[in-house]
């Protein structure tokens, strides 16, 4: 019933910016804690950013000051604004709820940072 569709990934040079979007169907994003995750080749999926239903945000240390998570309740989307991108940010990015039982994962969107 829940569908997650990530978009916005691209190939960018170090220092560049990208805006990722997650379209959510079947649930209202305003009612759930929403998060972004990423997975690089050969590594586990890691949590990157959290936006609680109360509007508070949290980030993994490596992206603090560079990434911003937000939501648009009208469009029912979750956004990740990524600035000053580094090669270490290269990964497939996914969105999902932050509750214990995750919704079915979407296809993710590829972010590649390379010079």
């Amino acid at each position: 019933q829940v569908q997650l569709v990530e978009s916005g990934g691209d190939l960018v040079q170090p220092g560049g910016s990208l805006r990722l979007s997650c379209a959510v169907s079947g649930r209202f994003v305003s009612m759930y804690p929403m998060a972004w995750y990423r997975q690089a080749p050969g590594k586990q999926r890691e949590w990157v950013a959290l936006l609680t239903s109360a509007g508070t945000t949290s980030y993994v240390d490596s992206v603090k000051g560079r990434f911003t998570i937000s939501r648009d309740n009208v469009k029912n989307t979750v956004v990740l604004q990524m600035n000053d991108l580094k090669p270490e940010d290269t990964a497939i990015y996914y969105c999902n709820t932050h509750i214990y039982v995750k919704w079915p994962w979407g296809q993710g969107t590829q972010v590649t940072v390379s010079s």
Side-chain angles (χ1 to χ4, degrees):
Q1 184 175 3
V2 182
Q3 292 187 23
L4 304 169
V5 181
E6 300 91 345
S7 62
D10 206 349
L11 169 64
V12 297
Q13 296 187 165
S17 298
L18 284 174
R19 182 179 184 273
L20 308 184
S21 182
C22 172
V24 181
S25 300
R27 295 289 188 278
F28 294 117
V29 297
S30 62
M31 298 178 66
Y32 296 88
M34 298 299 299
W36 283 94
Y37 305 80
R38 66 186 180 187
Q39 185 169 29
K43 300 179 66 177
Q44 278 195 280
R45 180 183 289 119
E46 76 169 328
W47 166 81
V48 175
L50 167 68
L51 174 63
T52 72
S53 57
T56 59
T57 59
S58 299
Y59 304 90
V60 67
D61 286 345
S62 60
V63 310
K64 287 181 179 177
R66 301 188 297 120
F67 291 11
T68 303
I69 185 172
S70 62
R71 65 180 167 228
D72 185 327
N73 293 336
V74 176
K75 296 180 179 179
N76 207 46
T77 60
V78 183
V79 171
L80 185 67
Q81 177 66 48
M82 307 186 296
N83 299 322
D84 191 24
L85 284 162
K86 303 176 179 180
E88 308 91 89
D89 297 319
T90 295
I92 301 176
Y93 283 71
Y94 304 86
C95 67
N96 212 314
T97 182
H98 198 64
I99 61 177
Y100 182 74
V101 179
K102 297 293 188 290
W103 298 328
W105 295 94
Q107 79 289 342
T109 186
Q110 176 71 236
V111 172
T112 302
V113 185
S114 177
S115 59

